[in-house]
Amino acid sequence: MDSTEKRRPFGERVRRLFHRKYLLRLILTSMTLFLIPCSIAMSAMLRRSYNEVQRANENSALALTDAFSERFVDKLVLLQNEAYQIAENSRDSQSALFCLQIPSLEQSPYYYYTFMNALDQYSGTNFGLYYAEDDCLITRRGKYGAYGYARYYLGLKSDALINRMCAFMANKSGKTLSFCPLYDENTCMVYAAVRVRLGLTRESVLLFARLDELFSAEVQPSAMHYAVLDAETNALIYTTSTDYFIDFSDFDAERTVQSLTRAGTTWRVFQSGRDYLGYRYVGVMPEESLTSSLNQFYDMARRVLFFFGISLLISMALLIYVTYNPIYRLAKSLSGSAEGSELEVISRSFEQVNDEKSELNMMVIDLLLSNLLYGHPIAESDLENLGLSRYTGCFGVLTFSPQRLNTIERRTLTAEISARLHITCYITDIPGRDHTVMIYLIAGERNAVLLDYMTAYLRRRAPEPFELRSGRVVHSINDIHISYADCLSTPDDAPLKPEQSAKDDGNAKSIEQLRDRILAYLQENFRDPNLSQSAVADAFGISVYTLSRLFKNQVGLGFSEYVTGKRLDSAKEMLLTTRLPVNVIAENVGIPSLSYFSRLFKLNFGVSPAKYRSEAGTLDETGTPFS
């Protein structure tokens, strides 16, 4: 951006930016084909990665819950097996443990010591025994009653927990295996008991042990906590502190992973797929503990995506700069400024170059025809100015009829002859003549090569018969009228003189008729934005040179000047008589570019279209009638 551009107001720079249609098209194309697909792909990849990490975390939590269920059941099975083993071995033993009599134990403290030694021999588990009929509870720490054990040994302060412990020891349910969870704000422990019959007397005894001490140290992870539910999803056992106790009343036993919200806290619950002993085993953790790693991953991924997006934008900006900068500089160099649509500026510049080239060719053809038809010599200064003096070699003329070539065919044919045969040629027609003329410059007298090439070309182009004539090769450009006269004469006739060959050139009536037909055609079609000099020439089967010469001689204006005048006159009328916006009027008169139309209008009438309408006093600049 140059210093002049920087000094302009921001709004003006934005407005000018929107006129740079190629730049906007390049940006939109880059975004559509590059930035947007990459962003969508990265977002989809991020979402998929997030879901995969979430599934991995859930699978890990489920695996921990399965492991807990296996270890929990293993401890229960071990507890039962040890209890049954003690019961089995007691039938063949005379140990005081199995012949225990409560009155004897009360009389002799050494009897209790013997009991303790016997218990240690049979179990690695810290068992206690309870005789319900005598309310005698014996552990390695001493002998208690059920209430005393709960109140003084366990230190339970809640009457509800003490009564629960006493009922557990009484085992009135008759279950072989029973549990006693003791939970409140100060207590968190679980007891399990197995009822067996010991000794020869087959006396019923309750072997019990503190269950949470058997496995809590092995299975307690940092964030996962566990619970055992009965068939009605009531929590029988917790393996953690009371801070993680939740209500499972609305737990869905059919779902493996679910969320439960309690007191404003959301918990994720994972149910083990293993159903041992008729219980359900679940792992519980706060939602935030599970999602913390996900959030960390997501934040990191978003940062990576952000930096990737920035890099992508920078890369796209560099790509656009590298691609657009040459176009910008070319448009600016061609127009003096980079205002307006770049491609429009370049297109107009090339059109101008083509017009200048066509104008030069027309001047060349005009001089050649002047010699061709009337034998007027071409001045050396004209040859120098038009670049004809550089031609060294021989000259000649070909004529062919009745085939007519349109503008594209003429350009293509001259380019092919130049590229393949290294011959410079000009193709035109002459009003009132039914043939097409080719004037050529050739190195040496090799006109037979050109004649063969044109014969083959005309045969390929159309199947109908044609007549191709070739005049003699001359060594001066001022003698081409001699070669043309040879083309007009028949084999039995003497060559025509230039003034004889031009005899019917002044057919004014036929030329006026052609002029009137062309003007009527333009009156009907000047609003067509695709209207061009070559299109009109092709429509009437004449060359662009003939059309241009006809306009200059018969109308007094150039073709483009005439059409532009028609369009601007029509635009003036519409500005004064309609409410149509200026851009719509520009399109209606055949000039789709509003900026180009405004420049043309101001160049011809001195004011902009909107101001012209306003100054006319009929409508203001918005198209509203003046009051």
Side-chain angles (χ1 to χ4, degrees):
M1 184 181 295
D2 56 22
S3 59
T4 303
E5 188 74 13
K6 290 180 180 178
R7 289 196 297 269
R8 286 172 176 159
F10 177 75
E12 177 69 13
R13 293 204 301 268
V14 172
R15 187 183 66 81
R16 291 179 181 275
L17 177 64
F18 279 98
H19 285 305
R20 297 176 185 171
K21 297 180 181 179
Y22 179 76
L23 175 60
L24 296 177
R25 187 186 308 169
L26 188 60
I27 293 173
L28 292 175
T29 302
S30 300
M31 291 181 62
T32 303
L33 299 180
F34 189 60
L35 183 60
I36 294 178
C38 287
S39 300
I40 294 175
M42 288 299 297
S43 300
M45 187 182 303
L46 177 61
R47 185 61 184 172
R48 180 176 179 180
S49 300
Y50 182 89
N51 292 335
E52 288 181 354
V53 172
Q54 185 178 36
R55 282 194 296 269
N57 287 348
E58 291 179 351
N59 291 336
S60 176
L62 288 171
L64 289 174
T65 305
D66 288 339
F68 158 74
S69 67
E70 290 182 353
R71 286 191 289 269
F72 181 84
V73 172
D74 288 344
K75 293 300 181 181
L76 285 182
V77 172
L78 176 63
L79 183 68
Q80 285 181 304
N81 289 341
E82 288 185 343
Y84 294 149
Q85 187 67 41
I86 292 173
E88 182 67 25
N89 293 341
S90 70
R91 296 182 180 86
D92 299 324
S93 173
Q94 299 299 319
S95 170
L97 172 64
F98 310 123
C99 302
L100 181 61
Q101 299 294 325
I102 299 304
S104 300
L105 179 62
E106 293 175 347
Q107 294 174 5
S108 174
Y110 295 103
Y111 195 89
Y112 173 73
Y113 177 74
T114 304
F115 155 74
M116 290 295 299
N117 287 338
L119 187 62
D120 287 340
Q121 293 176 5
Y122 282 96
S123 174
T125 303
N126 189 13
F127 274 119
L129 281 79
Y130 180 69
Y131 292 84
E133 293 180 2
D134 299 314
D135 189 26
C136 179
L137 188 151
I138 304 174
T139 70
R140 289 183 173 86
R141 298 290 181 89
K143 170 179 170 293
Y144 305 89
Y147 180 86
Y149 181 78
R151 180 70 178 82
Y152 300 109
Y153 179 75
L154 297 182
L156 301 178
K157 301 185 183 317
S158 167
D159 292 338
L161 294 184
I162 293 174
N163 294 335
R164 184 184 300 171
M165 187 64 179
C166 292
F168 166 69
M169 291 298 179
N171 194 17
K172 294 180 180 180
S173 64
K175 293 182 178 179
T176 302
L177 177 65
S178 57
F179 301 99
C180 181
L182 303 174
Y183 303 123
D184 63 12
E185 62 275 6
N186 300 313
T187 306
C188 180
M189 59 183 70
V190 180
Y191 276 85
V194 182
R195 179 167 293 281
V196 296
R197 295 184 179 276
L198 299 180
L200 299 175
T201 61
R202 314 285 285 180
E203 191 167 357
S204 177
V205 178
L206 197 68
L207 285 170
F208 65 91
R210 186 170 172 178
L211 187 61
D212 55 309
E213 291 181 344
L214 296 180
F215 61 87
S216 60
E218 300 179 14
V219 302
Q220 185 69 34
S222 59
M224 182 72 77
H225 307 276
Y226 305 98
V228 181
L229 310 181
D230 62 14
E232 287 75 28
T233 68
N234 297 315
L236 299 179
I237 300 170
Y238 292 104
T239 64
T240 184
S241 68
T242 56
D243 295 337
Y244 294 92
F245 292 176
I246 64 173
D247 179 17
F248 290 94
S249 58
D250 56 349
F251 175 77
D252 186 354
E254 301 298 325
R255 298 175 60 186
T256 303
V257 180
Q258 57 192 290
S259 297
L260 298 178
T261 301
R262 300 290 183 268
T265 302
T266 301
W267 305 82
R268 291 301 290 268
V269 181
F270 304 90
Q271 181 176 196
S272 172
R274 297 175 173 85
D275 185 8
Y276 296 120
L277 305 176
Y279 299 112
R280 299 183 184 278
Y281 307 93
V282 296
V284 180
M285 69 165 47
E287 182 83 31
E288 60 183 13
S289 298
L290 181 67
T291 58
S292 60
S293 61
L294 280 174
N295 292 334
Q296 292 174 1
F297 164 79
Y298 192 62
D299 290 340
M300 181 189 68
R302 281 192 300 180
R303 287 194 293 270
V304 171
L305 184 60
F306 174 76
F307 287 114
F308 174 80
I310 295 296
S311 302
L312 194 61
L313 284 174
I314 294 174
S315 301
M316 192 176 75
L318 289 175
L319 177 65
I320 292 174
Y321 175 79
V322 171
T323 305
Y324 175 71
N325 195 50
I327 301 295
Y328 174 81
R329 292 183 178 276
L330 178 60
K332 186 174 181 180
S333 64
L334 291 175
S335 65
S337 67
E339 300 178 5
S341 172
E342 309 87 336
L343 297 184
E344 180 183 315
V345 170
I346 295 172
S347 177
R348 287 201 305 269
S349 299
F350 278 108
E351 287 177 1
Q352 183 178 356
V353 171
N354 287 332
D355 290 343
E356 292 175 356
K357 185 178 178 181
S358 299
E359 186 70 23
L360 181 63
N361 286 337
M362 289 177 187
M363 294 174 65
V364 170
I365 294 175
D366 201 36
L367 288 176
L368 294 177
L369 285 180
S370 178
N371 181 273
L372 191 80
L373 297 174
Y374 308 107
H376 295 163
I378 303 174
E380 191 66 31
S381 59
D382 291 334
L383 293 175
E384 183 70 27
N385 292 334
L386 297 177
L388 295 176
S389 60
R390 71 178 186 274
Y391 292 156
T392 57
C394 302
F395 301 86
V397 178
L398 289 178
T399 62
F400 55 88
S401 60
Q403 295 188 22
R404 295 284 186 175
L405 305 182
N406 60 35
T407 304
I408 300 299
E409 290 174 329
R410 292 170 195 255
R411 292 174 181 173
T412 303
L413 180 59
T414 55
E416 288 182 355
I417 292 175
S418 176
R420 297 184 180 184
L421 305 181
H422 306 289
I423 298 174
T424 301
C425 62
Y426 299 91
I427 303 175
T428 186
D429 49 45
I430 302 173
R433 302 288 177 90
D434 60 353
H435 55 252
T436 302
V437 177
M438 175 185 290
I439 304 169
Y440 59 86
L441 168 67
I442 193 168
E445 299 186 9
R446 297 187 303 108
N447 60 331
V449 177
L450 178 60
L451 193 62
D452 292 340
Y453 183 86
M454 284 302 300
T455 301
Y457 173 81
L458 294 172
R459 285 176 178 171
R460 290 196 309 269
R461 185 178 178 275
E464 65 268 12
F466 61 88
E467 183 179 15
L468 176 63
R469 292 188 177 189
S470 175
R472 76 187 72 174
V473 176
V474 296
H475 296 278
S476 171
I477 196 170
N478 283 315
D479 292 334
I480 59 173
H481 59 277
I482 299 174
S483 182
Y484 180 58
D486 291 344
C487 296
L488 297 180
S489 63
T490 61
D492 298 331
D493 297 332
L496 296 177
K497 294 182 180 181
E499 59 271 14
Q500 291 175 314
S501 65
K503 180 175 151 183
D504 58 346
D505 187 51
N507 191 343
K509 187 175 181 180
S510 62
I511 293 176
E512 290 176 359
Q513 290 176 349
L514 178 62
R515 178 201 62 192
D516 294 340
R517 288 167 53 210
I518 293 175
L519 294 179
Y521 179 85
L522 292 179
Q523 180 63 32
E524 293 181 2
N525 297 280
F526 74 89
R527 294 182 176 85
D528 183 0
N530 296 319
L531 184 71
S532 65
Q533 193 169 3
S534 58
V536 176
D538 293 342
F540 289 90
I542 59 177
S543 67
V544 173
Y545 164 76
T546 300
L547 178 64
S548 177
R549 188 180 182 195
L550 184 146
F551 260 82
K552 287 182 179 179
N553 295 337
Q554 298 293 322
V555 182
L557 295 172
F559 175 86
S560 298
E561 186 180 1
Y562 177 82
V563 173
T564 300
K566 293 287 292 182
R567 288 171 170 171
L568 293 179
D569 288 341
S570 178
K572 282 175 57 179
E573 182 181 355
M574 295 177 72
L575 285 169
L576 297 177
T577 60
T578 71
R579 295 173 179 267
L580 293 175
V582 175
N583 63 317
V584 176
I585 292 176
E587 292 181 0
N588 286 346
V589 299
I591 307 177
S593 173
L594 177 60
S595 59
Y596 182 56
F597 170 74
S598 299
R599 284 196 294 273
L600 278 178
F601 196 94
K602 188 171 184 179
L603 183 65
N604 283 270
F605 303 116
V607 294
S608 67
K611 191 172 182 180
Y612 177 83
R613 170 182 273 175
S614 176
E615 291 179 349
T618 55
L619 300 171
D620 63 17
E621 294 188 3
T622 63
T624 304
F626 285 103
S627 57

